[in-house]
Amino acid sequence: MNTSTTANPLPDAGATAVITHRVFNDKHTDYEAWLNEIAPLCQTYPGHLDWHIVRPIPGLTQTYTVIIRFDNQPNLRKWMESDDRARLIDKVQPLLVTGDDFFISSGLDFWFTPSGAKAKIPIRWKQFLVTWSAIFPLVTILPPLLLPLLRAIGLPVNHYLDMLIVTGTVVSLMVYLVMPHYTRLIQHWLFK
């Protein structure tokens, strides 16, 4: 089991575990059944906020990414170090190409953790500057582009729906496109 953590955050700072499981090609159905067993159990633990699964792309990847959020790091650790989870991790091992890999972070630290890193997180003021400099252009450019498109497809003017779509697009771009490339581009300065 490979684990890494960030510096100890404040107890009420929230905490995220990002877990990756590389599953054998012929074991995806069994793994999905295992997810249906472990997810409800995780959700019963104190402080659980949400559980997201990023499934592999059929024919291209074998890796599942499970993102679990708790209200604080101590509650997340109770789940991650629990006998319930240990029992279920033992059960899933025969389905995995590699072990149970995860790291625990607080806030948005996972944006700033390069693949394979062992808890190397940039200082907060750099995280602030990088996040701000990435979000500002998106929130400046996207509304004038998206709102006419929404009207063109027949959606009525609704401030809340418009903001839901715009912010969802901003977050999607940040997580999947902008931050992985941006942090790689500036990693020398960011992790200096």
Side-chain angles (χ1 to χ4, degrees):
M1 172 178 5
N2 294 331
T3 64
S4 58
T5 60
T6 63
N8 290 334
L10 298 173
D12 60 351
T16 304
V18 179
I19 304 159
T20 55
H21 289 153
R22 192 165 165 234
V23 179
F24 286 109
N25 279 334
D26 61 341
K27 300 296 183 184
H28 287 248
T29 302
D30 295 336
Y31 185 83
E32 289 285 342
W34 177 82
L35 284 173
N36 290 333
E37 184 178 355
I38 195 169
L41 187 58
C42 174
Q43 293 164 0
T44 65
Y45 272 66
H48 178 269
L49 297 175
D50 57 17
W51 169 285
H52 299 282
I53 302 166
V54 180
R55 287 177 169 80
I57 300 167
L60 293 177
T61 65
Q62 301 167 291
T63 303
Y64 284 79
T65 302
V66 181
I67 303 165
I68 305 169
R69 288 191 321 126
F70 275 74
D71 61 350
N72 60 50
Q73 199 166 95
N75 280 340
L76 175 58
R77 288 207 169 278
K78 284 178 191 167
W79 163 248
M80 296 300 290
E81 296 167 2
S82 71
D83 291 339
D84 289 328
R85 184 174 189 280
R87 176 181 53 80
L88 288 166
I89 292 299
D90 286 342
K91 181 178 180 178
V92 80
Q93 286 298 341
L95 309 179
L96 304 180
V97 175
T98 56
D100 175 50
D101 296 325
F102 65 88
F103 71 90
I104 296 173
S105 67
S106 62
L108 300 177
D109 289 344
F110 65 90
W111 274 350
F112 298 96
T113 306
S115 180
K118 299 296 180 198
K120 188 173 183 183
I121 305 296
I123 56 178
R124 293 281 178 183
W125 69 266
K126 287 185 178 183
Q127 291 182 42
F128 166 79
L129 286 178
V130 170
T131 304
W132 186 22
S133 67
I135 287 178
F136 178 76
L138 292 175
V139 299
T140 303
I141 294 167
L142 284 176
L145 294 175
L146 288 176
L147 295 177
L149 179 65
L150 296 177
R151 299 300 84 80
I153 63 171
L155 284 177
V157 175
N158 180 316
H159 175 74
Y160 298 109
L161 180 60
D162 291 348
M163 285 300 97
L164 179 69
I165 292 169
V166 168
T167 57
T169 303
V170 167
V171 171
S172 296
L173 288 171
M174 286 289 290
V175 170
Y176 294 107
L177 182 66
V178 175
M179 291 308 280
H181 297 295
Y182 190 23
T183 55
R184 193 174 311 119
L185 180 68
I186 62 169
Q187 71 182 351
H188 180 71
W189 171 79
L190 190 59
F191 294 97
K192 191 175 180 181

